[in-house]
Amino acid sequence: MDAITAHRSTALLTDRYELTMLQAALRSGAAHRRSVFEVFTRRLPNGRRYGVVAGTGRLLDAIENFRFTAAQLDWLADQDVVGDDTLRFLADYRFTGDVHGYPEGEVYFPGSPILTVEGSFAEAVILETVILSILNHDSAIAAAASRMTSAAGARPCIEMGARRAHEGAAVAAARAAYIAGFSATSDLEAGYTYGIPTAGTAAHAFTLLHDSERDAFTAQIDSMGRGTTLLVDTYDLAEAVRTAVEVAGPGLGAVRIDSGDLTLLAHRVRRQLDELGAEKTRIIVTSDLDEYAIAALAAAPVDGYGVGTSLVTGSGQPTCAMVFKLVARATTPGGPLVPVAKRSAGGKTSVGGLKWAARRPDADGVAEAEVVGTGPVPEELAPHLLHVPLIQGGEAVGREPLTAARERHHRARAALPLSATQLSKGEPVLATELLIGSA
């Protein structure tokens, strides 16, 4: 169960206008029309080549827990948000519809139908805010994490941004980062809830507590063993490295550098460690890293990265601008779906119809286009469809181990053109092609 929504109702994680729309639709008689809502984004954040779907597993828990308590209903009544008829509807609310979409860890592009929610208007519309809240946050973190792990190559990245985010968002961020390739987190709640490996040893305060750096290193090694990581930049870096090896011996696990010119210092520390016989001692670097700093350290003798602030803030892009739009609805009970679409100025348009999506590969198996359509699926695209069932008849069917999403992301990113991993500004690596048939 998700750490943020466990044992609590998610029903008020919504905007007021969802309930006022519901009330008006109940009064007009349109609330029970079969409806299809779609989550998509019109554009990727500036310079990004692909997006990453994350938060799906958390979303399933949030929808399951979207049930109004007596106290919540009393509050809605006291605040005069909705009337008695709507309150009675909410008291019995359970989502009984269907949800399908891109599986967690998959990549996406502008116009990709990331999530499709089918049900009555009444039961689907009030899920909008919580769906977007989860997907926009987690997917933004995963996209940043994917760029970082791509830049890091085979070197591991550790998520350590809990102190830079809301406590609940920190857990969600650790989860999203793990999907996108981070190897561990410093956040124990994320480890407890999701089974993510945890990592961490000591901060500068531990060194400053002791009468000398030698005393601090000795205490840490006595407690954690020689395989621990010693923080060596509290005072004089070269002296600290020398002391670390003297105390731990050549079997010292790692040293961590948290300040200064990391490229220069990594070379100096590597040379010093080798001269002291600690050839296998690893060098971990931290200090406000992002994907660009990680890429710049590619030629440095660094063995791993710890990333905090930039990761949990989406590396400057804390949301994905995903939207939740009605794309089809029936006009009569049991009647066929009719496509509907927004046609407004300023580029805020949508494409109507219940959609499928496929990623067409070239002859070498490299993705060459994101194909989105309505109506029948072309035979050649059938093996490459992207949607999977997530909720059927109100029951979650899409839960999976977090490692499955992690492995999926690795495969999906590897199947993109090589330019997808470039950090220079550019357009999405795949164009989205529309094949519009019948709804």
Side-chain angles (χ1 to χ4, degrees):
M1 181 64 68
D2 176 56
I4 301 172
T5 60
H7 309 301
R8 60 172 287 200
S9 165
T10 55
L12 292 186
L13 297 178
T14 192
D15 291 310
R16 177 174 175 137
Y17 84 157
E18 311 292 6
L19 300 191
T20 54
M21 277 194 293
L22 167 64
Q23 176 162 285
L26 287 169
R27 289 183 178 178
S28 74
H32 301 294
R33 287 182 174 181
R34 181 184 172 210
S35 300
V36 178
F37 287 87
E38 180 184 303
V39 174
F40 65 94
T41 185
R42 297 181 177 95
R43 65 191 66 85
L44 296 180
N46 187 36
R48 299 286 171 92
R49 305 301 180 89
Y50 61 93
V52 181
V53 178
T56 312
R58 296 206 309 118
L59 184 61
L60 297 181
D61 291 336
I63 293 175
E64 184 177 81
N65 289 337
F66 201 96
R67 300 178 180 186
F68 291 84
T69 66
Q72 289 172 335
L73 294 169
D74 288 343
W75 181 83
L76 291 172
D78 290 342
Q79 297 297 310
D80 197 27
V81 175
V82 290
D84 291 343
D85 290 345
T86 306
L87 290 170
R88 281 191 288 272
F89 175 88
L90 296 177
D92 295 328
Y93 177 86
R94 302 289 187 273
F95 181 72
T96 62
D98 300 330
V99 178
H100 60 275
Y102 284 36
E104 199 160 22
E106 185 58 82
V107 298
Y108 69 87
F109 300 91
S112 295
I114 296 165
L115 195 78
T116 301
V117 180
E118 297 185 58
S120 71
F121 179 86
E123 64 178 347
V125 70
I126 61 176
L127 296 176
E128 174 183 10
T129 305
V130 72
I131 286 175
L132 291 180
S133 177
I134 292 172
L135 291 181
N136 268 314
H137 174 269
D138 290 24
S139 297
I141 305 304
S146 181
R147 286 160 62 87
M148 293 171 187
T149 55
S150 175
R155 298 171 178 176
C157 293
I158 301 169
E159 184 281 315
M160 46 193 301
R163 63 192 62 195
R164 300 289 189 250
H166 179 279
E167 64 273 16
V171 179
R175 183 184 183 280
Y178 187 68
I179 289 170
F182 270 63
S183 62
T185 179
S186 65
D187 192 288
L188 292 179
E189 180 63 46
Y192 173 75
T193 302
Y194 299 120
I196 302 171
T198 61
T201 52
H204 292 104
F206 184 77
T207 300
L208 295 169
L209 169 68
H210 290 81
D211 295 336
S212 70
E213 204 163 38
R214 181 179 295 274
D215 289 346
F217 290 169
T218 299
Q220 185 174 331
I221 290 167
D222 286 348
S223 173
M224 304 178 194
R226 298 180 188 278
T228 192
T229 299
L230 296 178
L231 181 58
V232 292
D233 71 337
T234 305
Y235 305 119
D236 179 83
L237 182 63
E239 181 62 29
V241 171
R242 184 178 304 107
T243 301
V245 176
E246 287 177 359
V247 172
L252 173 63
V255 296
R256 176 163 73 96
I257 308 171
D258 187 52
S259 58
D261 184 332
L262 297 179
T263 299
L264 174 64
L265 296 179
H267 280 285
R268 287 179 176 174
V269 170
R270 181 74 272 158
R271 182 171 62 250
Q272 185 180 10
L273 286 170
D274 291 347
E275 290 172 351
L276 293 170
E279 293 91 349
K280 294 184 179 181
T281 298
R282 296 172 294 115
I283 298 174
I284 307 299
V285 294
T286 51
S287 185
D288 293 327
L289 298 179
D290 61 12
E291 61 265 48
Y292 301 102
I294 291 171
L297 287 162
V302 170
D303 299 286
Y305 307 95
V307 190
T309 303
S310 184
L311 176 66
V312 298
T313 57
S315 194
Q317 303 290 346
T319 183
C320 302
M322 292 179 186
V323 295
F324 183 92
K325 298 299 180 184
L326 182 68
V327 294
R329 48 89 171 174
T331 57
T332 59
L337 288 172
V338 177
V340 294
K342 183 178 179 181
R343 294 282 184 267
S344 62
K348 285 191 172 184
T349 61
S350 59
V351 178
L354 174 62
K355 301 178 188 69
W356 49 263
R359 188 160 302 137
R360 188 176 67 232
D362 64 15
D364 296 320
V366 179
E368 65 177 9
E370 191 88 340
V371 186
V372 176
T374 61
V377 179
E379 184 177 347
E380 67 275 13
L381 292 178
H384 308 293
L385 290 173
L386 294 166
H387 279 183
V388 299
L390 299 170
I391 296 176
Q392 292 181 335
E395 297 295 326
V397 296
R399 286 193 173 94
E400 61 181 3
L402 198 57
T403 52
R406 177 181 172 89
E407 292 163 2
R408 181 181 296 112
H409 178 65
H410 179 76
R411 295 193 303 270
R413 187 176 66 184
L416 295 176
L418 289 176
S419 58
T421 59
Q422 292 177 355
L423 296 181
S424 57
K425 291 184 178 180
E427 297 301 313
V429 71
L430 295 185
T432 302
E433 300 178 3
L434 288 174
L435 296 179
I436 304 301
S438 62

